[in-house]
Each structure stands twice: as structure tokens, then as C-alpha cells.
Amino acid sequence: MNLIILTTPNFLPDEAEALTALLSHGLYRLHLRKPGCTEAELDALIRQLPPAYYPRISLHDHFPLQARYHLGGIHLNSRNPDVPIGFQGLVSRSCHTLEEAARYAPLTDYYFLSPIFDSISKQGYHAGFTEQQLRQAADNGLINMKTVALGGISVDKLPVLASLGFGGAAFLGDIWRNYHSAVDIPYVVNHFLALVNAF
């Protein structure tokens, strides 16, 4: 199962150092998701990351930065629904219903389906599917290796996701909820490695 980490919407202290540590420990894919930031702010964060890791980074906003730094992918959503002309990298997309997943799966390299469980980072943001609905979707081939579970994902949920046939899991709140500064980087890395070792 591929593991993806999303950044928090806000910028964190020593964030580039933390992201570099995760990438250096084998993170499959990093999604830079800063919906309220300016292009200059996101540019500054990217420039702090080692260029060797750029192919494993996907952008959710400010797509011109992808071409500028030759980042590996872009992520489509309601703010940015279209692939830029000439783009050649990985395309992923947010889906919040099974109907959206069926529509966009053929048009993406992988897609997020959310929220699978009650959110860790967003209070009051509850699971959007019952386990029965997910199992039916898996039986119908809609949940497959291109499907990445998002929303309330933690290490204890990975066996359930694997049994449902998800190809990946995306982490946000579970990774960042106890991070405050560079002193917490070893905790974040060890937590990530525990996720990797779960499989």
C-alpha cells in the first residue's frame, strides 16, 4: 500500500526540514496542500526542499510552480479542476462520492476518496461512507490500486483499508497533530516508519 502525506493548510515551523526528513526515509509521495497561500509562499517552501525529491512531490495549487521546478505531479480539486496544457506528470484528484470516483478514475493516475473515517484534523467532519458501501464498491472494482483513502487515516485503520483493496492511504492529522517544531521531527519520522512497518 502506497503511503502519501499531505501538508497542513497552514505553514509549520521548520516545515521544510520535517518534509525533507520524511522524504529521505522513503515517503512514496508528498502532497503540498496550502489552499490559502500565495504562489510566493509556496515557492519559498519548495526551494527549501532538496531537488532530488521533486519528482515525488504533487501540488494542489499554483500549478505554474510544477513546471518551474519539474515537480512530479499535480492534484485536481474544486479550486483547480483542469490539467494544465502540456502537463506530463502524475495526475491525482479529490473525490468525495463514489459517483465522482467512477467518473474521474479513468482520467487520473490515482485519486483520493474521502472522508473514509471521521477526520482527525477537522472537527465534525465525519465519514462519508459506511463499511458496507465501501465493500460493495470494492466488489464492483471501484476501489482498487488507484484508490487512495483519505480522512481519519491512522496506523490502526490500515488493515481495514488493505482488506477493502485500497491501493494507498493519505495521512494528514495523524502525522501532524503533535508536531510543533524541529524538535518533533524524530517523532514524526518514527510515526511514519511505524506506518511503513505495518505492511
Side-chain angles (χ1 to χ4, degrees), residues 131-172:
E131 185 170 335
Q132 181 180 357
Q133 287 173 316
L134 294 174
R135 293 206 179 277
Q136 184 64 53
D139 289 344
N140 293 338
L142 186 55
I143 293 176
N144 53 49
M145 294 306 294
K146 291 177 66 170
T147 317
V148 177
L150 173 64
I153 310 299
S154 55
V155 67
D156 59 304
K157 305 287 195 331
L158 292 179
V160 173
L161 298 178
S163 74
L164 289 166
F166 280 92
F171 296 82
L172 200 168

Side-chain angles (χ1 to χ4, degrees), residues 9-152:
N10 56 306
F11 288 90
L12 300 175
D14 308 303
E15 185 168 12
E17 187 177 345
L19 298 177
T20 298
L22 289 166
L23 287 161
S24 71
H25 282 83
L27 175 63
Y28 168 72
R29 194 137 206 93
L30 171 66
H31 276 239
L32 295 181
R33 180 183 174 275
K34 305 283 186 186
C37 78
T38 65
E39 184 171 319
E41 289 172 325
L42 192 56
D43 184 291
L45 176 60
I46 293 169
R47 283 188 285 105
Q48 294 178 69
L49 302 173
Y53 298 137
Y54 287 177
R56 288 193 271 149
I57 296 174
S58 287
L59 287 183
H60 284 229
D61 297 281
H62 304 301
F63 289 166
L65 294 174
Q66 181 280 326
R68 186 179 308 165
Y69 292 104
H70 306 289
L71 303 178
I74 58 169
H75 185 82
L76 305 178
N77 50 44
S78 59
R79 296 185 310 278
N80 302 292
D82 300 313
V83 177
I85 295 172
F87 176 72
Q88 297 293 318
L90 292 176
V91 175
S92 56
R93 187 172 194 112
S94 296
C95 296
H96 302 291
T97 66
L98 295 173
E99 291 76 19
E100 283 184 333
R103 176 182 175 188
Y104 293 117
L107 306 175
T108 59
D109 293 289
Y110 61 94
Y111 63 91
F112 292 168
L113 184 61
S114 69
I116 300 301
F117 305 108
D118 291 353
S119 176
I120 295 169
S121 60
K122 298 178 182 177
Q123 294 298 318
Y125 196 55
H126 298 293
F129 313 93
T130 65
E131 185 170 335
Q132 181 180 357
Q133 287 173 316
L134 294 174
R135 293 206 179 277
Q136 184 64 53
D139 289 344
N140 293 338
L142 186 55
I143 293 176
N144 53 49
M145 294 306 294
K146 291 177 66 170
T147 317
V148 177
L150 173 64

